[in-house]
Amino acid sequence: MDASSKSWCVFDIAGKEEEIAKLEKKAAEPDLWDDPENGQATMQKLAALQEEVETWRGLASRVKDGQDLLELVMADEDEAIASEIAVEVEK
């Protein structure tokens, strides 16, 4: 299989969100803890996926904010905004 025909990728946020929804549904089932190992594994996987998606969403938001600031600087040549971008890039 070549790279172009590969449909899955580590950045498949939509796929991860679908899996989160399935795990949340499973976690809400009353018999989840009938098998404590399975219940724990389900909850750990759910928490890990939620954290991963939250991290990527946060990064995407910061990139978008940076792009918006850059557009403002380019349009207005505003030194204050340029300084704000420099601070954001340093993070």
Side-chain angles (χ1 to χ4, degrees):
M1 173 187 320
D2 66 3
S4 63
S5 65
K6 194 173 184 181
S7 63
W8 181 88
C9 119
V10 71
F11 302 112
D12 181 15
I13 302 302
K16 290 178 190 298
E17 288 175 330
E18 287 178 23
E19 190 170 354
I20 287 170
K22 289 177 187 174
L23 288 170
E24 286 174 335
K25 185 176 179 180
K26 184 176 179 178
E29 293 175 1
D31 63 347
L32 174 70
W33 294 103
D34 289 351
D35 177 357
E37 286 182 23
N38 183 45
Q40 184 176 18
T42 297
M43 298 307 289
Q44 286 175 341
K45 182 162 181 125
L46 176 59
L49 282 169
Q50 288 172 327
E51 182 178 347
E52 185 176 352
V53 167
E54 184 179 309
T55 298
W56 284 111
R57 292 282 183 214
L59 289 171
S61 176
R62 287 187 62 199
V63 167
K64 173 78 170 93
D65 291 347
Q67 289 172 329
D68 292 345
L69 287 171
L70 182 59
E71 287 176 14
L72 287 172
V73 168
M74 292 176 72
D76 297 336
E77 297 181 17
D78 187 332
E79 289 299 318
I81 294 175
S83 295
E84 188 176 338
I85 289 174
V87 168
E88 189 65 28
V89 169
E90 299 278 329
K91 289 183 182 179

